[in-house]
Amino acid sequence: MTETRVLLEITDLVKHYPVRSGVLRRAAGTVHAVDGVSFSVGVGETLGWSASPAAASRRWPAACCAWSSDQRTASGSRRGHHPPQQDRLAAASALDADRLPGSFASLNPRMMAGDIVGEPISVHGLATGRAKQERVAKLFEQVGLRPDQMRNYPHQFSGGQRQRICIARALALGPRLIVCDEPVSALDVSIQAQVINLLIDLQREHGFSYLFIAHDLAVVAHISHRVAVMYLGRIVEIADKSELSEIRVIPIRRRCSLRSRSRTPDRSA
Amino acid sequence: MASIPAVPTADTSHEVRLAEIPGTVPSLTKLPVGCAFAPRCSLAIDPAASNIRRCRLGRGSSAACWRAAEMVTRP
């Protein structure tokens, strides 16, 4: 996919975590979660990330918006029109859609689903009262939930429905980029397909971009226009999806096993 | 059977919709009688709603499905 307009550009992103040990919690080493990573996401594009299983490397994309603002172009047209602080806020709100792997963990169990989805709208002062309720009801419909479920609590929903609540919350601010961190890995196969289809449908409708992170390369390759494969903090490969399926030589990709989940079990293998 | 086309592979494209399985996984505290997958299954037949049948398919393989034998002989 050839993209001319760039929505997000990150250059030379570095994130190291100290590893502490002993009684005094002295730094014993450093985890190079991200080590000089540069990439861009185009408008309406899905950039898939297949990270190595190191847990630390999965948390960075959402965090990067907070501390790499100078390296970020939130949107070519809007940059420069806002003072830096405001620009950061605008970008953060566009990006705050990160979803935790277990959708249950990211939903406050004491809040009703409607309030969870409506919270970003209140925080940013976009709508109040009846107008807010109507907006939330519309979001519920968009993600395939019934508006009368707005009064239910998170535990009353199934795993797939909870993921839909998270998606609705992400959509509440009309973002241009959504960071999806393992959105389907905790779901049953039958529900996973529903959520993947929903994400693709919503993108077609609204034209926003995804930064889609998952360990399952087959899922990443299915949903993405471009795919980046990360290993030990570096991008070892970034390619258009069409090229990715042709080249199967890079050892890390074999480790990520693009074909590990073939549709029919092969007994000879 | 239904879950196989629902799994994305590297060879499927985002332009092609994955085959969704309607409905949700039933709650483990409220399991239906008979085949738990029957309410979501496009191939379900009446007896599946009341009974589970284990069907032997070959050496070492079996399936808890009323129509498993038919599915195996299908191309």
Side-chain angles (χ1 to χ4, degrees):
Chain A
M1 184 169 173
T2 48
E3 276 300 330
T4 44
R5 287 184 60 205
V6 171
L7 178 71
L8 175 85
E9 189 158 12
I10 302 276
T11 335
D12 248 349
L13 187 66
V14 177
K15 178 69 183 164
H16 293 171
Y17 294 99
V19 179
R20 298 184 187 282
S21 64
V23 188
L24 298 173
R25 315 295 296 157
R26 285 213 180 97
T30 314
V31 175
H32 296 239
V34 187
D35 216 357
V37 165
S38 305
F39 65 93
S40 63
V41 185
V43 174
E45 183 189 42
T46 304
L47 177 64
W49 277 92
S50 181
S52 65
S57 65
R58 291 197 321 180
R59 277 278 154 254
W60 62 270
C64 75
C65 30
W67 38 257
S68 67
S69 59
D70 53 319
Q71 293 163 337
R72 186 198 58 234
T73 313
S75 129
S77 56
R78 290 184 69 179
R79 199 182 198 200
H81 293 162
H82 297 280
Q85 195 57 42
Q86 232 175 321
D87 187 33
R88 181 173 301 180
L89 185 70
S93 62
L95 288 158
D96 72 351
D98 113 282
R99 281 173 251 139
L100 294 167
S103 52
F104 197 46
S106 70
L107 301 173
N108 186 338
R110 289 168 196 230
M111 279 173 80
M112 288 188 284
D115 295 336
I116 291 172
V117 174
E119 196 175 29
I121 299 174
S122 314
V123 167
H124 289 266
L126 299 174
T128 51
R130 204 174 180 80
K132 187 181 115 185
Q133 289 302 314
E134 279 168 17
R135 240 167 118 156
V136 173
K138 211 173 144 203
L139 286 164
F140 264 60
E141 279 169 20
Q142 275 181 4
V143 298
L145 294 168
R146 293 191 315 274
D148 62 87
Q149 291 175 310
M150 280 162 60
R151 299 189 65 80
N152 292 2
Y153 287 90
H155 71 270
Q156 294 173 293
F157 292 91
S158 67
Q161 285 174 324
R162 285 200 284 265
Q163 203 62 285
R164 286 168 194 267
I165 297 172
C166 295
I167 295 169
R169 177 172 59 182
L171 295 178
L173 298 172
R176 284 161 291 162
L177 174 72
I178 297 183
V179 178
C180 312
D181 190 355
E182 301 274 11
V184 293
S185 51
L187 300 176
D188 180 271
V189 170
S190 64
I191 307 297
Q192 174 181 292
Q194 293 176 4
V195 173
I196 292 174
N197 283 343
L198 173 67
L199 287 170
I200 294 172
D201 289 345
L202 288 169
Q203 184 179 44
R204 280 204 194 121
E205 205 176 307
H206 300 276
F208 43 62
S209 311
Y210 286 125
L211 187 56
F212 189 95
I213 305 147
H215 61 267
D216 186 337
L217 199 50
V219 171
V220 172
H222 175 83
I223 201 167
S224 308
H225 300 108
R226 274 191 308 142
V227 176
V229 180
M230 251 180 100
Y231 186 62
L232 297 178
R234 290 170 193 275
I235 296 181
V236 287
E237 188 178 7
I238 184 158
D240 267 21
K241 197 211 138 174
S242 52
E243 293 164 27
L244 190 82
S245 48
E246 283 163 20
I247 323 162
R248 295 178 193 274
V249 287
I250 295 177
I252 172 65
R253 182 117 51 72
R254 274 197 221 124
R255 273 193 57 180
C256 291
S257 57
L258 190 60
R259 290 186 291 179
S260 67
R261 299 215 327 212
S262 65
R263 289 189 167 197
T264 45
D266 183 3
R267 277 158 202 277
S268 60
Chain B
M1 282 302 290
S3 61
I4 291 175
V7 177
T9 68
D11 303 318
T12 56
S13 152
H14 59 275
E15 278 133 31
V16 182
R17 282 182 78 79
L18 293 173
E20 289 177 24
I21 302 172
T24 54
V25 183
S27 159
L28 286 173
T29 56
K30 283 176 248 160
L31 276 181
V33 209
C35 175
F37 190 67
R40 306 178 67 193
C41 182
S42 59
L43 302 164
I45 49 171
D46 289 342
S50 50
N51 283 300
I52 300 173
R53 189 172 78 168
R54 184 153 289 279
C55 184
R56 270 183 70 92
L57 296 174
R59 210 175 54 170
S61 70
S62 67
C65 177
W66 282 81
R67 302 183 67 181
E70 278 174 64
M71 296 302 130
V72 170
T73 49
R74 266 193 189 182

